[in-house]
Short mmCIF file of all heavy atoms in Angstrom, two decimals:
data_model
loop_
_atom_site.label_atom_id
_atom_site.label_comp_id
_atom_site.label_asym_id
_atom_site.label_seq_id
_atom_site.Cartn_x
_atom_site.Cartn_y
_atom_site.Cartn_z
N VAL L 114 46.46 40.18 190.04
CA VAL L 114 45.56 39.41 189.19
C VAL L 114 46.21 38.13 188.69
O VAL L 114 45.62 37.05 188.78
CB VAL L 114 45.09 40.27 188.00
CG1 VAL L 114 44.26 39.44 187.02
CG2 VAL L 114 44.30 41.48 188.49
N SER L 115 47.42 38.25 188.17
CA SER L 115 48.11 37.11 187.59
C SER L 115 49.58 37.44 187.42
O SER L 115 49.95 38.61 187.28
CB SER L 115 47.50 36.75 186.22
OG SER L 115 48.13 35.61 185.66
N CYS L 116 50.42 36.42 187.42
CA CYS L 116 51.85 36.63 187.15
C CYS L 116 52.43 35.40 186.49
O CYS L 116 51.86 34.30 186.55
CB CYS L 116 52.63 36.97 188.43
SG CYS L 116 52.85 35.61 189.58
N VAL L 117 53.59 35.59 185.87
CA VAL L 117 54.34 34.50 185.28
C VAL L 117 55.78 34.59 185.78
O VAL L 117 56.36 35.68 185.82
CB VAL L 117 54.26 34.52 183.73
CG1 VAL L 117 54.73 35.84 183.16
CG2 VAL L 117 55.05 33.36 183.14
N VAL L 118 56.34 33.47 186.16
CA VAL L 118 57.69 33.40 186.70
C VAL L 118 58.69 33.28 185.56
O VAL L 118 58.55 32.43 184.68
CB VAL L 118 57.82 32.21 187.67
CG1 VAL L 118 59.23 32.12 188.23
CG2 VAL L 118 56.81 32.32 188.78
N SER L 119 59.72 34.13 185.58
CA SER L 119 60.68 34.18 184.49
C SER L 119 61.45 32.88 184.33
O SER L 119 61.69 32.42 183.22
CB SER L 119 61.64 35.34 184.68
OG SER L 119 60.97 36.58 184.68
N GLU L 120 61.84 32.28 185.43
CA GLU L 120 62.74 31.13 185.40
C GLU L 120 62.13 29.92 184.71
O GLU L 120 62.80 29.28 183.88
CB GLU L 120 63.17 30.75 186.81
CG GLU L 120 64.17 29.62 186.87
CD GLU L 120 64.63 29.31 188.28
OE1 GLU L 120 63.92 29.68 189.23
OE2 GLU L 120 65.71 28.71 188.43
N ASP L 121 60.89 29.61 185.01
CA ASP L 121 60.30 28.37 184.50
C ASP L 121 58.96 28.55 183.81
O ASP L 121 58.37 27.57 183.35
CB ASP L 121 60.18 27.34 185.61
CG ASP L 121 59.28 27.79 186.76
OD1 ASP L 121 58.66 28.85 186.66
OD2 ASP L 121 59.22 27.06 187.76
N GLY L 122 58.45 29.77 183.75
CA GLY L 122 57.20 30.03 183.07
C GLY L 122 55.95 29.68 183.86
O GLY L 122 54.85 29.72 183.29
N SER L 123 56.08 29.35 185.13
CA SER L 123 54.92 29.05 185.95
C SER L 123 53.99 30.26 186.01
O SER L 123 54.44 31.40 186.08
CB SER L 123 55.34 28.67 187.36
OG SER L 123 56.14 27.50 187.35
N THR L 124 52.70 30.00 186.00
CA THR L 124 51.71 31.06 186.05
C THR L 124 50.83 30.90 187.28
O THR L 124 50.58 29.78 187.75
CB THR L 124 50.84 31.08 184.79
OG1 THR L 124 50.19 29.81 184.64
CG2 THR L 124 51.69 31.35 183.56
N TYR L 125 50.35 32.04 187.77
CA TYR L 125 49.51 32.06 188.95
C TYR L 125 48.39 33.07 188.74
O TYR L 125 48.57 34.08 188.05
CB TYR L 125 50.32 32.42 190.20
CG TYR L 125 51.41 31.43 190.49
CD1 TYR L 125 52.71 31.64 190.02
CD2 TYR L 125 51.16 30.28 191.21
CE1 TYR L 125 53.71 30.72 190.26
CE2 TYR L 125 52.16 29.36 191.46
CZ TYR L 125 53.43 29.59 190.99
OH TYR L 125 54.43 28.67 191.23
N TYR L 126 47.26 32.80 189.38
CA TYR L 126 46.08 33.63 189.22
C TYR L 126 45.39 33.87 190.55
O TYR L 126 45.37 33.00 191.42
CB TYR L 126 45.07 32.98 188.27
CG TYR L 126 45.59 32.77 186.88
CD1 TYR L 126 46.26 31.60 186.53
CD2 TYR L 126 45.43 33.75 185.91
CE1 TYR L 126 46.74 31.40 185.25
CE2 TYR L 126 45.91 33.56 184.62
CZ TYR L 126 46.57 32.38 184.30
OH TYR L 126 47.05 32.21 183.02
N ALA L 127 44.81 35.05 190.68
CA ALA L 127 43.93 35.30 191.81
C ALA L 127 42.69 34.42 191.68
O ALA L 127 42.22 34.12 190.58
CB ALA L 127 43.52 36.77 191.85
N ASP L 128 42.14 34.02 192.82
CA ASP L 128 40.95 33.18 192.80
C ASP L 128 39.80 33.82 192.04
O ASP L 128 39.00 33.13 191.40
CB ASP L 128 40.51 32.86 194.23
CG ASP L 128 41.44 31.90 194.94
OD1 ASP L 128 42.24 31.22 194.26
OD2 ASP L 128 41.37 31.82 196.18
N SER L 129 39.72 35.13 192.09
CA SER L 129 38.61 35.84 191.47
C SER L 129 38.62 35.77 189.95
O SER L 129 37.58 36.02 189.32
CB SER L 129 38.60 37.30 191.92
OG SER L 129 39.81 37.94 191.59
N VAL L 130 39.77 35.45 189.35
CA VAL L 130 39.86 35.42 187.89
C VAL L 130 40.23 34.06 187.33
O VAL L 130 40.19 33.86 186.11
CB VAL L 130 40.86 36.47 187.36
CG1 VAL L 130 40.54 37.85 187.92
CG2 VAL L 130 42.30 36.08 187.68
N LYS L 131 40.56 33.11 188.18
CA LYS L 131 40.99 31.80 187.73
C LYS L 131 39.91 31.13 186.88
O LYS L 131 38.74 31.11 187.27
CB LYS L 131 41.36 30.92 188.92
CG LYS L 131 42.05 29.63 188.53
CD LYS L 131 42.53 28.87 189.76
CE LYS L 131 43.29 27.61 189.37
NZ LYS L 131 43.78 26.88 190.57
N GLY L 132 40.31 30.60 185.74
CA GLY L 132 39.38 29.98 184.82
C GLY L 132 38.81 30.93 183.80
O GLY L 132 38.22 30.48 182.81
N ARG L 133 38.98 32.23 184.00
CA ARG L 133 38.48 33.23 183.07
C ARG L 133 39.61 34.00 182.38
O ARG L 133 39.46 34.39 181.22
CB ARG L 133 37.57 34.23 183.79
CG ARG L 133 36.36 33.60 184.44
CD ARG L 133 35.40 34.65 184.98
NE ARG L 133 36.01 35.46 186.04
CZ ARG L 133 36.16 36.78 186.00
NH1 ARG L 133 35.75 37.47 184.93
NH2 ARG L 133 36.72 37.43 187.01
N PHE L 134 40.72 34.24 183.08
CA PHE L 134 41.83 35.01 182.55
C PHE L 134 43.00 34.08 182.26
O PHE L 134 43.20 33.08 182.95
CB PHE L 134 42.30 36.07 183.54
CG PHE L 134 41.33 37.21 183.79
CD1 PHE L 134 40.04 37.19 183.30
CD2 PHE L 134 41.75 38.31 184.53
CE1 PHE L 134 39.16 38.24 183.54
CE2 PHE L 134 40.89 39.36 184.77
CZ PHE L 134 39.59 39.33 184.28
N THR L 135 43.80 34.44 181.25
CA THR L 135 45.00 33.69 180.90
C THR L 135 46.15 34.65 180.65
O THR L 135 46.02 35.57 179.83
CB THR L 135 44.78 32.82 179.66
OG1 THR L 135 43.68 31.94 179.87
CG2 THR L 135 46.03 32.00 179.36
N ILE L 136 47.26 34.45 181.34
CA ILE L 136 48.46 35.26 181.13
C ILE L 136 49.40 34.53 180.19
O ILE L 136 49.49 33.30 180.21
CB ILE L 136 49.15 35.59 182.47
CG1 ILE L 136 50.22 36.67 182.29
CG2 ILE L 136 49.74 34.33 183.11
CD1 ILE L 136 50.75 37.21 183.62
N SER L 137 50.10 35.27 179.33
CA SER L 137 51.02 34.65 178.40
C SER L 137 52.09 35.66 177.98
O SER L 137 51.92 36.86 178.17
CB SER L 137 50.30 34.11 177.16
OG SER L 137 49.66 35.16 176.45
N ARG L 138 53.17 35.14 177.43
CA ARG L 138 54.26 35.96 176.88
C ARG L 138 54.58 35.48 175.48
O ARG L 138 54.41 34.30 175.16
CB ARG L 138 55.50 35.87 177.77
CG ARG L 138 55.30 36.36 179.18
CD ARG L 138 56.52 36.11 180.02
NE ARG L 138 57.65 36.92 179.57
CZ ARG L 138 58.86 36.89 180.12
NH1 ARG L 138 59.08 36.08 181.15
NH2 ARG L 138 59.83 37.65 179.65
N ASP L 139 55.09 36.38 174.63
CA ASP L 139 55.49 35.96 173.30
C ASP L 139 56.89 35.35 173.34
O ASP L 139 57.60 35.45 174.35
CB ASP L 139 55.40 37.12 172.31
CG ASP L 139 56.44 38.20 172.53
OD1 ASP L 139 57.24 38.11 173.47
OD2 ASP L 139 56.45 39.17 171.74
N SER L 140 57.30 34.72 172.24
CA SER L 140 58.55 33.97 172.22
C SER L 140 59.78 34.85 172.39
O SER L 140 60.81 34.38 172.90
CB SER L 140 58.66 33.17 170.91
OG SER L 140 58.61 34.04 169.78
N SER L 141 59.69 36.09 171.97
CA SER L 141 60.82 37.01 172.11
C SER L 141 60.90 37.66 173.49
O SER L 141 61.85 38.39 173.78
CB SER L 141 60.75 38.10 171.04
OG SER L 141 59.61 38.91 171.22
N LYS L 142 59.89 37.43 174.30
CA LYS L 142 59.83 37.91 175.68
C LYS L 142 59.82 39.43 175.80
O LYS L 142 60.28 40.00 176.80
CB LYS L 142 60.96 37.31 176.52
CG LYS L 142 60.94 35.80 176.58
CD LYS L 142 62.04 35.26 177.49
CE LYS L 142 61.99 33.75 177.55
NZ LYS L 142 63.06 33.20 178.43
#
C-alpha cells in the first residue's frame, strides 16, 4: 500500500491509494 524509506524519508504509494492515503512517522521514530 505504502512505504517510507528510512534513509531519507521518501514515501511511495500504490496507484490505488495515491491521493487518498498518507504515510507518516513520529519524530521519535
Side-chain angles (χ1 to χ4, degrees):
V114 174
S115 182
C116 72
V117 56
V118 180
S119 298
E120 183 177 21
D121 61 6
S123 299
T124 58
Y125 299 94
Y126 298 89
D128 289 343
S129 58
V130 307
K131 190 174 183 179
R133 300 187 297 121
F134 292 9
T135 303
I136 192 169
S137 62
R138 299 174 66 181
D139 70 358
S140 59
S141 65
K142 301 183 179 180

